[in-house]
Amino acid sequence: MSFNENLETGTRDLRRPLLHKGSWYSSSSRSIIERGGSSQIVPEAPKESAVIVVFCTLIVALGPLQYGFTNGYSSPTEDGIMSDLSLTISQFSLFGSLSNVGAMIGALVSGIMADYIGRKGALLVASIPNILGWVAISFAKSSLFLYIGRLLTGFGVGVISFTVPVYIAEIAPKHLRGSLGTINMLSVTIGIFIVYLLGMFISWRHLALAGVVPCSLLVLGLFVIPEAPRWLAKIGKDSDFEASLQTLRGFDSDVSLEAFEIRTAMEANNQDDRFKLSELCQRRYAFPFTIGIGLLVLQQLTGVSGVMFYNSSIFEAAGITSANAASLGLAVVQKKPVDVLFS
């Protein structure tokens, strides 16, 4: 090989991100599939594909981690906040419930937001009120700042709860989509566990500052990971779509078939975009619509949110001496089923 050829090869390698360097990344095999009586050779995704997708999933999983942190924050801090700010039980109960109000607002606008500014853009927008909300709670001198902070964090997790599962589903290859999808709920339970654990050792103001960490790391991570390729295809950014898909699947992967499938699916979705709310009243949609909404309603009617918000006081009323330790045990118990599903 001549000097000029070596120089050209080295220049080409420098254009690739450091993440994709290493000989083991390049080892991709091929499989033969049969279509319509003819055989076709299709390259299998190299190991690089799984590594990058898992990395991106773990970055956005900081959002559900924040969700769990928000859900569990009111339980270990109840006594501290009420004594420091002289709040009544009704005032603290309002503080705890305002996160649901904020989440409801965030969930209503999350779909529109994710479609207009992208999945990464929606997560970035959701992170800002989360950070501001935790700062407001940490430096609160009255109930007003507590309420504002709780609303802001609730709004953020409302957007996160919609956007993160969509992003994970859109970047994951078919064989990993189910496994990676469980990381969303796993992160929520880990966030609850962390806030219960930290609440045993630090004050409620320091615990609120700790709540800034997940979303701050998420903001930094969003500048590293690619945008969801399906959204880029939906808005017609073909070059960015191909670059994003190639990054997620690896530079040595042949993504032409998957790119064609995604474009075809997006064109079909764009043609069927004119959905009317009245169509839900049609008989063929009645049963699945009732099942879907019914499951959500039954989940809330179980009162699980109230238990997670105020389980310390519940355990104290039940006569348990170490309420915080019991809360930590509850977090471990409700986390274990998710671990089993994930494994």
Side-chain angles (χ1 to χ4, degrees), residues 60-175:
V60 297
L62 291 166
L65 188 84
Q66 178 73 79
Y67 186 4
F69 203 97
T70 302
N71 278 357
Y73 176 78
S74 58
S75 178
T77 60
E78 182 175 353
D79 292 338
I81 292 177
M82 289 181 64
S83 60
D84 288 353
L85 300 182
S86 301
L87 299 184
T88 64
I89 294 178
S90 298
Q91 288 175 317
F92 186 81
S93 298
L94 177 60
F95 165 73
S97 62
L98 282 176
S99 65
N100 285 338
V101 177
M104 180 178 63
I105 300 172
L108 287 174
V109 302
S110 59
I112 299 174
M113 190 184 301
D115 280 342
Y116 273 92
I117 62 177
R119 310 337 184 190
K120 286 175 57 179
L123 290 176
L124 182 61
V125 170
S127 299
I128 295 173
N130 260 303
I131 294 172
L132 294 177
W134 286 118
V135 172
I137 292 173
S138 179
F139 292 97
K141 299 296 183 182
S142 65
S143 59
L144 177 62
F145 279 92
L146 281 179
Y147 297 158
I148 294 174
R150 191 69 168 170
L151 275 172
L152 288 173
T153 56
F155 175 84
V157 299
V159 177
I160 286 171
S161 64
F162 169 83
T163 311
V164 169
V166 171
Y167 179 84
I168 294 174
E170 290 184 342
I171 68 168
K174 295 177 181 178
H175 67 287

Side-chain angles (χ1 to χ4, degrees), residues 138-303:
S138 179
F139 292 97
K141 299 296 183 182
S142 65
S143 59
L144 177 62
F145 279 92
L146 281 179
Y147 297 158
I148 294 174
R150 191 69 168 170
L151 275 172
L152 288 173
T153 56
F155 175 84
V157 299
V159 177
I160 286 171
S161 64
F162 169 83
T163 311
V164 169
V166 171
Y167 179 84
I168 294 174
E170 290 184 342
I171 68 168
K174 295 177 181 178
H175 67 287
L176 291 176
R177 195 166 296 155
S179 299
L180 294 178
T182 61
I183 292 181
N184 179 62
M185 193 61 210
L186 178 64
S187 300
V188 174
T189 59
I190 291 175
I192 295 173
F193 177 81
I194 290 174
V195 74
Y196 285 171
L197 179 63
L198 294 178
M200 299 174 63
F201 304 105
I202 61 178
S203 68
W204 64 272
R205 294 187 185 275
H206 292 129
L207 190 61
L209 285 179
V212 175
V213 175
C215 272
S216 299
L217 294 176
L218 176 60
V219 170
L220 296 176
L222 289 174
F223 290 99
V224 178
I225 63 177
E227 180 57 89
R230 286 181 177 270
W231 179 76
L232 293 171
K234 182 179 180 180
I235 63 174
K237 291 188 175 181
D238 290 338
S239 58
D240 292 337
F241 157 67
E242 293 174 358
S244 174
L245 188 61
Q246 192 72 67
T247 301
L248 290 167
R249 301 296 178 260
F251 284 97
D252 294 321
S253 299
D254 182 5
V255 298
S256 56
L257 178 60
E258 185 177 3
F260 174 76
E261 292 175 347
I262 292 175
R263 284 196 178 99
T264 303
M266 289 299 102
E267 289 175 1
N269 288 340
N270 289 336
Q271 291 176 358
D272 297 336
D273 252 356
R274 298 176 181 177
F275 177 79
K276 297 179 181 179
L277 193 62
S278 59
E279 293 181 15
L280 290 177
C281 300
Q282 296 180 13
R283 190 171 183 178
R284 59 175 176 170
Y285 296 129
F287 182 72
F289 181 72
T290 303
I291 293 295
I293 298 298
L295 288 174
L296 294 174
V297 172
L298 288 175
Q299 182 185 30
Q300 294 305 312
L301 290 178
T302 60

